[in-house]
Amino acid sequence: LSDDERAALRLGLLETVGNLGDPRALPVLRGVFGTTAEPSELRAAARGLARVCQERDRRALMAATAAPQRAAAAAALGLCASPEAASWMVAQLETTSDPAHAAALAAGLAEGASSWARPGARSRIDAPLRARAARAIIRRWSELPAQRPALGIAALSMGGAEVLAAARDALRVAPAEARPGLTAIERSLERSLSRDLRR
């Protein structure tokens, strides 16, 4: 195999093993997350660790501070469907001064929101935390114009009444330049919720 083929095979194996959610894969995933600097491999390892979500791994993902590890961990943590992980992500999103980190956290929260609807999971991620996550994503959308595409995708992916309420609240005080984007988010969420109600 060429170097590129070996790298593709390694990444494919990591993604496959991580997607299984099998705790037997944790030693490999931990080893890769702790040693590689390759962003795609870090993402695959972080997602695998978050999918199993043992406390040790959740804490390691939350503690990652090196730039490539931190981005991979933030985007993956939502897969834990854990109140502790979700609360940490929201607190980070509310306070981080790093726009790229904010976008990664929002993406992780949005992905996690789909798992919150799994049987038994939604009750663990309570309504106030879901509303706080929605407000944080919309507020950061307003504050970080360069990150608006990523944060807008996160808001629409998260969806739900909480994000719609946050967008409507933000529209009341938004400067003129932000109104068209917030209006587009609001309308898209309204259509999505309307479709859900008809099902």
Side-chain angles (χ1 to χ4, degrees):
L1 295 177
S2 69
D3 288 346
D4 286 347
E5 289 169 333
R6 270 197 298 275
L9 178 61
R10 178 180 164 92
L11 178 59
L13 289 171
L14 272 172
E15 288 176 342
T16 300
V17 167
N19 285 337
L20 292 174
D22 189 332
R24 291 176 295 181
L26 288 174
V28 171
L29 296 169
R30 288 169 181 155
V32 171
F33 187 74
T35 60
T36 191
E38 172 58 41
S40 56
E41 291 183 6
L42 277 170
R43 281 192 300 273
R47 289 175 66 82
L49 292 172
R51 206 173 291 283
V52 178
C53 199
Q54 289 189 356
E55 183 174 352
R56 164 187 171 179
D57 301 308
R58 177 172 50 79
R59 292 188 182 283
L61 291 170
M62 289 163 53
T65 55
Q69 280 187 327
R70 184 170 80 158
L77 265 167
L79 292 171
C80 278
S82 139
E84 294 82 8
S87 182
W88 180 87
M89 292 170 74
V90 172
Q92 290 288 302
L93 180 57
E94 289 170 335
T95 60
T96 185
S97 59
D98 179 350
H101 189 46
L105 288 160
L109 283 165
E111 185 161 29
S114 65
S115 67
W116 297 348
R118 287 197 308 250
R122 193 165 175 84
S123 62
R124 295 197 311 266
I125 311 295
D126 62 21
L129 183 55
R130 293 195 304 270
R132 192 174 149 208
R135 286 192 303 271
I137 288 175
I138 294 296
R139 182 172 63 81
R140 297 324 297 264
W141 183 94
S142 297
E143 294 171 348
L144 302 170
Q147 301 298 324
R148 282 181 183 169
L151 290 162
I153 289 169
L156 295 175
S157 297
M158 178 178 279
E162 295 93 353
V163 183
L164 179 57
R168 285 175 172 163
D169 288 346
L171 261 169
R172 293 189 189 103
V173 296
E177 59 85 20
R179 288 182 173 277
L182 283 170
T183 299
I185 289 171
E186 178 189 36
R187 288 180 180 157
S188 181
L189 290 166
E190 284 172 343
R191 286 192 299 272
S192 177
L193 285 169
S194 177
R195 280 194 305 269
D196 289 346
L197 287 173
R198 287 197 301 268
R199 288 180 186 159

